[in-house]
Amino acid sequence: IASAREAARSAPTLDELRALLEKFEGCALRNTATRLVFADGNPKARIMFVGEAPGRDEDIEGLPFVGRSGKLLDRMIAAIGLDRSKAYIANVIPWRPPGNRTPTPQETQICLPFIQRQIELVNPDVLVTLGNPSTQTLLSTREGIMRTRGKWFDYDTGTRTIRAMATFHPAYLLRSPSYKRMSWQDLRAIAKALAAS
Ligand code: URA
């Protein structure tokens, strides 16, 4: 298990990283999930979105953000003037937690090297973390989304610094639509940064 995590850190391509995860037995979530949910979109995209973990629809289809939240994420991507062919989408956790429970800190730590390497390989100009778990894990903060959203962070891959912004998770926006206005402000800032980079 330790060696698979080590291997993740140096997997030369996204395909090899995915193959490592397909074989990885260090995370018990794989035993209850239907399948691995690795990523969707364009591996050459300049923008990458990272959510928390797959839900029921994603577990069935094997792709991230294909359910109701995914439809809203598509509109968020459209607000930047893009679509999935120009964005890359993944989750911190690549297997559905039973009953969509929140992943434990231990599960998150076990999966972390895989998403870190995925970010490094995609090497986007802008990284967008969706909601608290993704933001707190990847941007190393304990602050909640109300304080982190809309601000620029530096995401350090070890070889490069990537500009990163946190915004609301689409599932949260579905429950609390009044935050959509703030979310769209964040998306405008992201579009501006992409245009300038
Ligand atoms: N929520 C997430 O965080 N990720 C998905 O892929 C779907 C819903």
Side-chain angles (χ1 to χ4, degrees):
I1 289 166
S3 65
R5 296 181 82 227
E6 269 317 307
R9 286 183 226 278
S10 56
T13 63
L14 288 168
D15 284 345
E16 288 179 61
L17 186 64
R18 181 200 285 255
L20 273 174
L21 262 177
E22 292 278 9
K23 284 183 293 184
F24 183 59
E25 291 183 347
C27 182
L29 291 175
R30 69 169 288 144
N31 302 326
T32 47
T34 309
R35 66 189 92 248
L36 177 74
V37 177
F38 185 69
D40 193 19
N42 185 344
K44 294 197 163 71
R46 295 176 57 215
I47 184 164
M48 175 166 177
F49 294 85
V50 184
E52 178 181 3
R56 188 175 55 100
D57 297 318
E58 291 76 21
D59 181 65
I60 293 169
E61 291 202 30
L63 290 170
F65 285 101
V66 291
R68 272 187 80 218
S69 311
K71 298 283 170 285
L72 181 50
L73 179 60
D74 285 340
R75 284 171 48 209
M76 293 165 74
I77 295 171
I80 307 177
L82 304 175
D83 59 33
R84 278 191 195 221
S85 72
K86 294 212 165 71
Y88 188 84
I89 304 167
N91 286 302
V92 171
I93 305 279
W95 294 282
R96 182 197 185 194
N100 295 347
R101 68 161 170 76
T102 303
T104 66
Q106 195 201 9
E107 287 158 355
T108 302
Q109 285 310 308
I110 287 172
C111 294
L112 189 55
F114 295 93
I115 186 65
Q116 285 173 330
R117 183 62 179 158
Q118 206 172 161
I119 295 168
E120 194 177 3
L121 286 168
V122 174
N123 194 23
D125 291 328
V126 176
L127 172 69
V128 183
T129 57
L130 299 167
N132 270 327
S134 168
T135 301
Q136 292 175 344
T137 305
L138 294 174
L139 305 185
S140 309
T141 175
R142 303 176 91 145
E143 297 277 15
I145 197 71
M146 286 300 171
R147 282 174 174 275
T148 51
R149 63 150 282 264
K151 298 196 184 110
W152 287 107
F153 287 76
D154 282 342
Y155 178 86
D156 192 359
T157 66
T159 51
R160 185 183 164 217
T161 302
I162 294 173
R163 299 186 82 192
M165 187 177 281
T167 194
F168 298 106
H169 192 290
Y172 183 82
L173 292 175
L174 288 173
R175 288 194 302 273
S176 310
S178 59
Y179 292 118
K180 281 187 187 172
R181 204 173 54 84
M182 280 190 255
S183 163
W184 256 248
Q185 285 173 4
D186 300 345
L187 297 167
R188 264 198 299 281
I190 291 164
K192 252 176 100 175
L194 268 183
S197 68

